[in-house]
Each structure stands twice: as C-alpha cells, then as structure tokens.
Amino acid sequence: LLGLEIAEKVTGTENKLYIPPDLDRLVDKRTKLFNTDNYFCIMVLDNNNQLIYSKPKMTQQDVYYRLSDDLREPRNNKFAGVTVNVTDDDQTLGKVWVMQSKKSIAYNPETMLLVCILFVALILCGWFTIYLLSRKLSRPIRQVAHAAEQIRNGNYEVNLDLNTREREMNELVESFREMSIRLQQLEEWRALSLAGVTHELKTPVTSIKGLVMAVRDDIVSPEEAKEFLDIALKESERMERMVADLLDYNAMSAGSVAVRRERIDLNLLVGEIIYQWKIAYEDKSPEIELHTPSGTLYTIG
C-alpha cells in the first residue's frame, strides 16, 4: 500500500518521474504510523535503474549494495522487499522499492508486547481454571476424608449427601457410603457375636463349676459323683467344640465353614439343662417344673 501510494505521488508528465516536495513529509508520516525501525528504506528508480529518491538518503552505490545484480530482489536474504511499477498511460516510468528487515517484521515490539500480554493472560486464566477445578474436586474429597476420620473414631453414622457432576466422584462417594454402612453392620455383628460367645462359654463353665464343687464337697453319693463328672466331661467337650469354632472364625468369615444340622429331642435337651441347673444352684435355684407334650418333640439344630 505504501509503495502504491508513493508510485501515485511520483507519477509525472512527459514520461518523466516527478518527486513532489511533500514526499518526505508523507513518508515520515507513514513510517511513524507503521512504527518502522532503522532497517526500513524506500527507493525510487527510473527505467535506467538510477536512484531518483530515497529514504533515508542513499547513493547509487547503496542501491547496488542493497539490491541484487538484476535489481529484482534484495541482496541480503535477511530483508524483505516489494516493488511497485510507476506507470503513466500504460507506460512504465520506473519503480518504487520498499524494503524492511524480516526480523523487524517478525519481532515488532508492539507485537511482542501483545504476545507477552496474551501469554500472561493465558497463564493466569489457566491457573484460575485449575484453581476452580481443584476446589471443586477437593471439596467432596475433604468431606470423604472427614467422614473417614469419624469412622476411625467409631462413629459409623456419617452423612455424605453429595451430588457432583463428575461420575468418578459420585462413584467414590457412593462406594464410601456403602463401606461405612458395611462397617457399621460388621461392628454390630461383632458386638452381637461377642455377647453370644460370652454367654455360650459362661453357661458350661458355670455348670462345670457347680458339678465339680458338688463332687468336691461330698454333697452327692459316689454314684451321683460319677454321673456329675460325666456331665462335666460332656460340658468340657462342648466347650472344646466352641473353642474350635472360634479358631475357625476366619474360615467362617470367608464362607468356607459348613454348618452341620442334626435332629435334637427337645424333651431330653431341656430336661438335661434343668437337671444341670439344679445341680449347680441346688441351694439357690427355685423349684422348676417341666411340662412336656405326651409325644416326642424334635427340632433341627
């Protein structure tokens, strides 16, 4: 555009180039507008390749130094240049050369400043986006961590009422919620099992203690003492089976222990329990009456 504008200004009459007096002022305004550097130059050559005008001031020798031997391209490949023919009535009167260093075109200070500003803005936007995403993702994780601390302190009734758009976070929260419910069930089952095991062990221990004390204190006859010892032996065997079951606790938790079911005569079972109770607490136990149906009553246990 600058070359075309200068070509229109220098078009003269009688097939001659004319350099208007205000051309320097025009070029100064344009160079100031384009913010060019010291490597910017304008040359006007006639048909004989003679220098008519230049900005900055140059000699004919400088023209040969800046242009190739055929005057069609810059001699130094570090420069870029455009040429515009000066014509009048379809007749070429000369040409206008506009040259500038490629470095100044590629690394314009304003362009570099704009690029730096854009780069910094992108960094800030990226950091801000990462900050918002990290806060959004860390919020449910912090709540899950707080819930985990509550479970560690023994509080299994945690409330994780979270609903995020991230599928992975929802799966994490749901898995943790199910884990807390499962842990609560296991804790309740453990307490119940411990109470049951304690009761089951306490009953035969109490019975054996009463039977042995009765034999030791000669409260019973020799025949009854032998019977008492047989009962105590059976109770000890039952305790042994229970201890073996406790040792197989891990296998039972893994589901690899089979439960053996047998037919049990309830009349005999209840009668034996009452008999052992009377022996152990003969002086303290109230009178117990056993009422059984006329027929035999069986159960599976």
Side-chain angles (χ1 to χ4, degrees), residues 168-276:
E168 293 78 6
M169 295 304 302
N170 286 330
E171 292 177 354
L172 171 64
V173 172
E174 186 63 27
S175 299
F176 191 87
R177 186 184 293 113
E178 293 178 358
M179 182 194 69
S180 63
I181 295 174
R182 178 62 175 166
L183 287 175
Q184 184 178 9
Q185 293 174 349
L186 290 175
E187 180 64 21
E188 293 175 354
W189 179 79
R190 184 193 65 82
L192 182 63
S193 299
L194 181 61
V197 169
T198 302
H199 174 74
E200 291 296 328
L201 288 177
K202 184 178 180 181
T203 300
V205 168
T206 304
S207 177
I208 293 173
K209 181 180 178 182
L211 293 171
V212 173
M213 289 180 63
V215 174
R216 186 194 64 181
D217 297 338
D218 296 329
I219 299 176
V220 295
S221 63
E223 291 78 9
E224 291 177 333
K226 184 177 180 182
E227 183 182 358
F228 281 16
L229 292 177
D230 290 338
I231 296 174
L233 182 60
K234 289 182 180 180
E235 290 297 310
S236 63
E237 291 175 352
R238 188 158 71 93
M239 284 186 61
E240 184 179 4
R241 289 197 302 270
M242 283 191 292
V243 171
D245 291 339
L246 289 177
L247 294 177
D248 292 336
Y249 175 78
N250 291 331
M252 182 179 65
S253 300
S256 59
V257 174
V259 178
R260 187 182 71 257
R261 298 176 180 271
E262 295 179 352
R263 286 185 71 195
I264 300 175
D265 189 340
L266 284 181
N267 294 335
L268 294 178
L269 176 63
V270 176
E272 182 182 358
I273 293 174
I274 294 176
Y275 181 67
Q276 294 180 18

Side-chain angles (χ1 to χ4, degrees), residues 75-133:
R75 185 178 296 274
N76 192 339
N77 57 8
K78 294 182 179 180
F79 286 83
V82 294
T83 179
V84 178
N85 291 329
V86 181
T87 59
D88 184 24
D89 295 334
D90 297 332
Q91 184 176 359
T92 302
L93 304 180
K95 62 182 67 176
V96 178
W97 268 98
V98 180
M99 296 179 58
Q100 189 174 8
S101 67
K102 295 180 181 179
K103 182 177 180 182
S104 63
I105 298 175
Y107 300 100
N108 185 274
E110 284 73 14
T111 304
M112 291 299 297
L113 179 61
L114 180 61
V115 170
C116 291
I117 293 175
L118 290 176
F119 187 69
V120 172
L122 287 175
I123 292 177
L124 292 177
C125 290
W127 177 85
F128 186 69
T129 302
I130 294 174
Y131 173 75
L132 292 179
L133 289 176

Side-chain angles (χ1 to χ4, degrees), residues 149-167:
E149 185 176 359
Q150 289 182 323
I151 292 178
R152 184 186 64 182
N153 295 331
N155 180 21
Y156 296 97
E157 297 180 358
V158 295
N159 184 18
L160 287 175
D161 189 13
L162 294 174
N163 187 14
T164 60
R165 295 182 180 179
E166 290 75 17
R167 184 187 63 182

